[in-house]
Amino acid sequence: MTIPTLHPQLLGDWLGENLLWMNPAEPPLASHSKMTVATTAQGKFITLAYTWAYEGKPQDGLLLIGDGNQHGIASAGWVDSFHQSGKVMHCTGSASPTGFAVTGAYAAPPGPDWGWRLSVNASVTGELILEMHNLPPGGEAELAVRAVYQRA
């Protein structure tokens, strides 16, 4: 699936709930969330701009997705006011008829880097689901964020 054929399913404004797991063994923290999905650069890229809150403090992020004009390929740049210090996380992965999944990495001194997987999928029920997983070195993926959106 290429970006130009994928984006009509995703474009527009979305409202939902953001769940954040600070510790996988504890219940998630919930907040309201908004997402706007748009195209840029003559439709070659999709932007996903979202808002949420941590302990009542507003947070926001942006995901820029492209496909290099190749079927099934996805590359991304991700920024988030809470999850990152100021560096763009560069990610690569795949696109499908209903969404995409990309993986990047971040430093976790003094140990090795950890992975971070972001996925966005349009469900058969019309929801848009954003998930983010921590990928510890040699360990199982840990759900960190799950936001489920309905069309605004």
Side-chain angles (χ1 to χ4, degrees):
M1 181 60 49
T2 62
I3 294 296
T5 56
L6 171 63
H7 70 68
Q9 300 171 65
L10 306 178
L11 291 180
D13 294 322
W14 300 83
L15 297 172
E17 180 181 53
N18 184 82
L19 299 175
L20 170 69
W21 283 265
M22 294 299 290
N23 179 335
E26 296 177 6
L29 305 171
S31 68
H32 294 289
S33 182
K34 294 190 326 184
M35 180 184 286
T36 299
V37 181
T39 60
T40 191
Q42 302 297 313
K44 294 178 184 176
F45 296 87
I46 296 176
T47 60
L48 296 94
Y50 59 89
T51 63
W52 61 288
Y54 176 69
E55 296 181 340
K57 184 177 177 184
Q59 304 291 333
D60 61 272
L62 178 72
L63 186 59
L64 174 68
I65 302 284
D67 64 8
N69 299 318
Q70 297 181 45
H71 181 77
I73 302 296
S75 64
W78 177 60
V79 296
D80 186 279
S81 60
F82 179 82
H83 296 283
Q84 294 165 284
S85 63
K87 287 178 70 175
V88 174
M89 181 181 288
H90 299 276
C91 305
T92 58
S94 61
S96 73
T98 59
F100 53 86
V102 294
T103 303
Y106 64 94
D113 290 355
W114 282 43
W116 187 258
R117 183 175 58 230
L118 298 106
S119 63
V120 174
N121 287 290
S123 75
V124 294
T125 60
E127 297 173 322
L128 186 64
I129 301 168
L130 167 66
E131 288 188 337
M132 301 179 193
H133 289 82
N134 264 309
L135 306 173
E140 297 290 321
E142 299 172 355
L143 183 61
V145 174
R146 186 169 202 271
V148 178
Y149 298 94
Q150 306 289 331
R151 287 226 178 252

